[in-house]
Amino acid sequence: MTHDDSDADSDRDASPANERFETRAIHAGQDPDPETGALMTPIHANSTYAQDRPGEDRGYEYSRTGNPTRSDLEANLADLENGSHARAFSSGMASINTVLNTLEAGDDVVAGSDIYGGTHRLFTQVYEQFDLSFSFVDTTDLSAVEEAIQDDTELLWVETPTNPLLQINDIAALAEIAHENDALCAVDNTFATPYLQRPLDLGADIVSHSLTKYLGGHSDVIGGALVTDDPELDEQFGFYQNSVGATPGPFECFLVLRGTKTLPVRMDRHCENARQLAVWLEDHPDVSEVYYPGLESHPGHDIAVRQMDDFGGMVSFELDATLEETSDICAETEVFTLAESLGGVESLIEQPAAMTHAAIPQEEREASGLSDGLIRASVGIEHYEDLRADLQSAIDAVLH
């Protein structure tokens, strides 16, 4: 399965100007500079802006409140997600934090049990002390989600594909459950990107991104974003964006804009490599389980086919190995770099139990399926055969 630009998909992928995603990725929100004709969005390295008279500015007064480079990025992201409003933040965690800022003491949040460890930490170790409650459930089980929602539940937080087990959640069904209970549905779309999946089109109220990952795409920038179609929600996000001040600088915004221009071609290669690697791993004698939604054996494959245009560049797999052996395999790779994060052009490998999800208590981590033998790979755009050979060499060095 590959991203389809055929006429059959034109309604989904086309803007009002009937432009396809690849065209919008390069041009949306980014006109040449009217004064100089500069093709690339200028880096507006300003903290403040001259005013004509007190209180009469030309659209910008202070760069925490608004910056032209950031505005172009926000317009680009809103367009790619088929949304009307976007806000950029200094990190993905800052964007998630902003969603929680809109809640009040006593509110409840239902979230997936398989989510990024940093999100889990923010929920439980930061916001629980402010009298927010969090219920973690298997969001692939719609009945479990319905049972978890209470009268005071205001938010359903969903990742899909999830981190790190790559579960697939039915966005349309979950959004419907949230709305039936007067709650908002927020989807972290970091793993899929808007090139592969657009949650707002499926009924979600909020889309969250770590711009650090695929949208930036080159492991050289930290950023986050929220996209919505709701102007009242966007106004709240803008208030906290300005009041708290967790905003990206103009250079960071420039780098992400550079990244979104090549998002389609990069994602095509990420998906191609990940798909081949997952097929190979599924038949590997030392691998007990492969988690990749592009495999027909994946329990969420049919949903992924329905709501995604391709299956992404993330592959997780489980070895019959101890924590130490798994750590050694990750350390033995040479083409794959042992590092946290994901979504860059280079392939990364990590052990969730000891790295990205170490903040989750061991008992809770194991209950959700995060074993000591689990490895998560962010499959880059190198040559597939080099990636396969590197993994085989590392496995052989430790297990044979």
Side-chain angles (χ1 to χ4, degrees), residues 277 280-281 284 315 317 329-330 332-336 349 375 377 379 385-397:
L277 201 65
W280 172 71
L281 286 168
H284 197 286
V315 178
F317 59 97
I329 289 170
C330 291
E332 280 286 334
T333 58
E334 295 181 357
V335 180
F336 281 89
I349 194 168
I375 289 175
V379 184
E385 290 296 342
D386 294 331
L387 296 173
R388 182 196 59 76
D390 189 42
L391 278 183
Q392 184 63 65
S393 176
I395 292 172
D396 287 343

Side-chain angles (χ1 to χ4, degrees), residues 74-89 98-99 102 155 179 184-187 198-201 203-209 225-238:
E74 291 171 338
N76 180 258
L77 296 174
D79 188 282
L80 297 185
E81 279 287 3
N82 290 344
S84 56
H85 301 81
R87 300 282 177 171
F89 297 88
T98 298
V99 176
T102 67
L155 177 67
H179 297 159
L184 296 175
C185 178
V187 176
R198 290 155 297 280
L200 296 179
D201 291 352
D205 302 288
I206 303 164
V207 176
S208 174
H209 279 287
L226 296 174
V227 185
T228 183
D229 268 332
D230 187 330
E232 292 185 5
L233 266 179
D234 177 68
E235 187 174 351
Q236 291 184 66
F237 296 157

Side-chain angles (χ1 to χ4, degrees), residues 9-21 24 79 82 198:
D9 287 334
S10 62
D11 288 344
R12 179 190 59 206
D13 286 346
S15 69
N18 204 35
E19 294 172 344
R20 304 306 193 273
F21 188 99
R24 292 155 52 204
D79 188 282
N82 290 344
R198 290 155 297 280

Side-chain angles (χ1 to χ4, degrees), residues 235-269:
E235 187 174 351
Q236 291 184 66
F237 296 157
F239 172 79
Y240 287 109
Q241 182 189 49
N242 183 48
S243 300
V244 176
T247 53
F251 184 62
E252 286 76 18
C253 294
F254 176 86
L255 288 176
V256 178
L257 279 170
R258 179 206 58 182
T260 62
K261 287 177 173 62
T262 61
L263 178 66
V265 291
R266 286 187 289 106
M267 290 307 299
D268 284 344
R269 183 60 175 265

